Amino acid sequence: MLSTVSRIDPESLHGPFPTMVDWVRAQALSLAGRPSMDVARRCVEGRLPLPGMSDVLMAAAWREGELAVARHEMDHGYIPDGERDRYLRFIWRAVIATAVGDLDRARRELADARDRRLGHDGEITDLPLRLAEATLALEADGPVDGPAAFAAQVSAFPIGDNTLFWYTAALGHLARYQPAMADELEQRNLGPLHRRDLAVGRALHALDQGDLDPMVDAAWPEPVGALLPAAMLRGACEFVAAGWAVDRPEAAASADWLALEVGEPARGHFRTIAETHEIKKVARAAAEILGRIPVPPPEELERQLLGPAELLIGGRPIDDANWRREKLRSLIGYLVLNPTTTRDAVMAALWPEADEEAARRNLRSTLNLAHKVLEPARASGDATWFIRSD
């Protein structure tokens, strides 16, 4: 397909034909496991009612790790008429929602997909829905029940021409939970995005066997968002924690990205890893991630310092006796006016008469109270968001 469209002279194309050529090229690149987002964007701008137009950019952005673009397309993308496109769009949206931890939305999208199933059964129709349902089971049920549910869903569909594309969209899970199927697929002409997902899945499969060594040299996906299509959220967090455990320099930035772009669902997985992972080094790494990577609190904080000092969380005045402590209000006011400062400067401003040891003890105690007042929902051991020190 790519070879054929490359022989077409762009100057000879008019009307809808440039969009049609981009559509063919985008589909071919996606099938070949190669980046296709730029071509898909041009294709969508043409607004032709071609098959797959509704998800061509969303799926391309998703598979290339461009989460912001994929999320935008989920809710604002072009939706032409056609039951097939709407059916597949619900499935893609369910997969992306699953990967960012929005499992309730994923369930709603899959319910809509089931309602719009085409009028006949078959591999092309059923397999993408089955894979999306299996992926949701892995995220929702975890490592105890999830793998069995995934195996049950894929066992009904042998690898063939009609199933190859959809299986390449789940290569990371296949490499982790169905390695024999992944080995069979690898004999095909897989592209770089396919091989990226295989490498992540195989590293996680080794991790499941108690072997951390492959993480030392494992290829780290770029951009960080590519971890999600390769392993979904649970696997991405495990991959990052394992990388942290073996001192991979990429792990810190990846943990930061997951915490800030995905938020609490990612932190929830890191907590589970810290509490339950059988490899102690990985569990400790997840605990360190929780203690070093801050995440925005669930509600907005407002500080009013003109007139009587007030603090509102989610628009509500705080109900915490510690807020009545004058030194605590002074500390927060000082940090608002001096957002980058030093401990010595704060001690000199708030406890000018105290000796250094007493002032340092007072600052430490007041900082602890400030963290509790500003972030009442923060779990013990989690990094602080508003006041940070290094």
Side-chain angles (χ1 to χ4, degrees), residues 8 13 22 91 98 118 133 164 218 255 257 259 284 300 308 348 358:
I8 298 174
L13 300 175
D22 282 337
I91 292 173
T98 300
L118 303 186
E133 290 172 336
L164 180 61
W257 186 91
R284 285 196 300 271
E300 185 179 73

Side-chain angles (χ1 to χ4, degrees), residues 285-351:
E288 291 175 9
I289 288 170
L290 288 170
R292 292 176 58 175
I293 303 298
V295 168
E299 295 183 291
E300 185 179 73
L301 180 92
E302 183 180 355
R303 297 149 296 180
Q304 298 178 354
L305 300 180
L306 295 176
E310 290 187 282
L311 189 69
L312 298 93
I313 297 179
R316 305 179 302 276
I318 68 157
D319 182 21
D320 190 315
N322 287 313
W323 179 244
R324 292 193 287 271
R325 295 173 180 258
E326 189 276 331
K327 287 299 184 184
L328 185 143
R329 297 196 306 274
S330 296
L331 172 62
I332 293 175
Y334 182 90
L335 294 175
V336 170
L337 298 174
N338 303 274
T340 301
T341 185
T342 66
R343 289 176 181 267
D344 288 342
V346 177
M347 291 188 299
L350 270 64
W351 295 278

Side-chain angles (χ1 to χ4, degrees), residues 18-19 22-23 25-27 29 35-48 53 55-62 64 66-70 72-73 78:
T19 297
D22 282 337
W23 173 77
R25 183 176 282 112
Q27 299 286 342
L29 288 168
S36 60
M37 197 170 75
D38 292 341
V39 180
R41 196 188 302 277
R42 291 201 311 268
C43 177
V44 170
E45 289 170 356
R47 298 282 180 174
L48 288 181
M53 189 67 79
D55 55 49
V56 63
L57 179 55
M58 176 170 56
W62 162 245
E64 291 173 49
E66 299 294 343
L67 181 60
V69 177
H72 179 271
E73 287 297 305
Y78 172 49

Side-chain angles (χ1 to χ4, degrees), residues 97-158:
T98 300
V100 296
D102 191 349
L103 303 190
D104 288 338
R105 176 171 181 175
R107 293 184 182 100
R108 292 195 302 270
E109 301 284 0
L110 287 177
D112 287 335
R114 283 189 289 271
D115 289 343
R116 290 180 178 271
R117 281 178 65 183
L118 303 186
H120 60 85
D121 292 333
E123 293 166 347
I124 292 179
T125 330
D126 284 353
L127 181 56
L129 179 59
R130 293 281 192 94
L131 285 173
E133 290 172 336
T135 298
L136 177 59
L138 283 168
E139 292 297 298
D141 299 337
V144 176
D145 300 319
F150 181 79
Q153 292 285 41
V154 303
S155 62
F157 297 92

Side-chain angles (χ1 to χ4, degrees), residues 271 297-298 372 374-380 382:
R271 286 192 192 97
K372 293 177 181 178
L374 294 173
E375 301 179 62
R378 184 173 63 90
S380 176
D382 283 3

